[in-house]
Amino acid sequence: MSPATVSFWFEYASPYSMVTALRLLYALSPKRMPLSQAAASLMRGSPSCEIPDLSSTNIVFRPISLGAVFKAVGQLALPNMAVPIKADYLFHDVARSMDTLGQPGFPLQKQANWPPNSASAGRMTWMLAQGTDYVNSLNAESQVPVPGQVLDLAQTKVVAEWVWRVYEAQFISIEDIASPEVLAKLWDLYVYQPSKLDGRVVPEGLKAVELAQSDAVKDGFKNITQDAIDHNLFGAPSFTTEDGDMYWGNDRLFDALFHHNVQDTQKIGGFCTKPKGANL
């Protein structure tokens, strides 16, 4: 049986998306996990922290502009910030999960630079998620491959590492992810250098920042955000399945991954395929 494909929709301003990104990184690259096997086993059964087995699943990383999604669905730009005690809990809850996952340092309160201007980081991530052939074709100003292809495992691991490092810079190192210099540095360390090792060399960081400002990449990032809206997404992290269903929240990751096992028992149809405004 061929692997199921699950899409991970996320935004760099979303703390809970950061937790999911770390779990997926550990799942794709177990050696990156700082926890011992014994410590990791303690997370089994935790919907917010357990590390999934992705051996029968392809993960597709889909960065989006959550502000545009909120606007489209008529939601407050920062709904979790409207109630102060709820905002306090959000940061406490994410910090607790990050500690459990062996990555302490998440702030216990809202930072001055949050939410970030994540447009450039989102565009670079969308570009990288199209694969090295896409990036290099864009750099060579030649015909680019059709976007949206499922990447092989090696390239998916690079995307996962990049995504985590952008989150780490934003929330733990407290760096400005709108800065071209910060993004170029991260790209050089976690995309360019690994690409030299596996023989699929991509442009260096400053060039990648420049490519991400091209019309092709801007349109691609805009289109994937519209895809999120068209799929009835309203928040992040969200996960969509091949048959058009959707799960929202870091704690629904396992449900999304297991969906293909139980989809034949689902009688209500996929959430992504329902008309907007219908009785869902």
Side-chain angles (χ1 to χ4, degrees):
M1 189 168 99
S2 60
T5 297
V6 172
S7 293
F8 165 44
W9 306 76
F10 61 98
E11 145 81 76
Y12 285 117
S14 166
Y16 282 111
S17 294
M18 178 186 190
V19 181
T20 302
L22 184 58
R23 296 169 71 193
L24 292 175
L25 174 63
Y26 287 171
L28 290 162
S29 302
K31 291 182 179 179
R32 289 282 286 101
M33 190 162 58
L35 305 173
S36 66
Q37 287 296 323
S41 68
L42 297 177
M43 295 185 290
R44 289 176 189 155
S46 166
S48 61
C49 292
E50 185 175 356
I51 309 305
D53 177 359
L54 299 180
S55 59
S56 61
T57 309
N58 291 319
I59 293 291
V60 179
F61 286 78
R62 300 194 186 277
I64 58 173
S65 170
L66 202 50
V69 172
F70 286 165
K71 183 178 180 180
V73 301
Q75 183 167 285
L76 290 173
L78 293 172
N80 288 326
M81 296 294 105
V83 180
I85 193 66
K86 188 175 182 180
D88 289 345
Y89 176 78
L90 182 154
F91 280 85
H92 171 83
D93 190 35
V94 173
R96 178 170 55 191
S97 293
M98 296 302 293
D99 281 356
T100 301
L101 289 164
Q103 291 289 347
F106 187 86
L108 293 175
Q109 58 187 5
K110 178 180 174 296
Q111 303 154 277
N113 68 336
W114 185 84
N117 179 347
S118 59
S120 292
R123 290 170 187 150
M124 289 183 74
T125 304
W126 180 86
M127 179 176 70
L128 179 62
Q130 308 318 304
T132 55
D133 288 345
Y134 182 93
V135 177
N136 287 328
S137 295
L138 196 65
N139 185 44
E141 298 183 355
S142 59
Q143 183 67 38
V144 296
V146 176
Q149 306 302 309
V150 176
L151 301 183
D152 61 34
L153 180 58
Q155 292 189 77
T156 301
K157 287 181 177 181
V158 172
V159 176
E161 184 73 44
W162 159 262
V163 169
W164 161 247
R165 294 298 183 173
V166 175
Y167 275 120
E168 181 183 49
Q170 162 64 22
F171 286 109
I172 296 178
S173 303
I174 319 298
E175 298 180 73
D176 180 10
I177 64 168
S179 163
E181 291 75 22
V182 169
L183 292 173
K185 176 189 70 174
L186 296 175
W187 182 279
D188 282 337
L189 288 172
Y190 304 112
V191 179
Y192 174 67
Q193 291 296 340
S195 78
K196 290 199 302 183
L197 296 177
D198 73 5
R200 291 186 281 199
V201 183
V202 296
E204 295 185 56
L206 287 175
K207 183 62 178 180
V209 171
E210 178 186 328
L211 292 174
Q213 303 308 312
S214 67
D215 288 342
V217 175
K218 286 183 177 179
D219 288 345
F221 186 56
K222 181 179 180 180
N223 290 340
I224 201 170
T225 297
Q226 185 60 50
D227 285 347
I229 295 167
D230 292 343
H231 280 76
N232 291 327
L233 270 66
F234 52 84
S238 290
F239 313 95
T240 54
T241 61
E242 292 173 284
D243 64 338
D245 220 338
M246 188 266 280
Y247 295 87
W248 171 53
N250 171 59
D251 58 347
R252 302 307 302 276
L253 172 59
F254 270 80
D255 292 298
L257 297 176
F258 291 153
H259 178 86
H260 68 282
N261 292 328
V262 299
Q263 64 186 33
D264 291 341
T265 70
Q266 305 297 315
K267 307 301 182 185
I268 62 172
F271 190 88
C272 298
T273 59
K274 293 183 183 294
K276 291 176 177 57
N279 184 4
L280 300 178

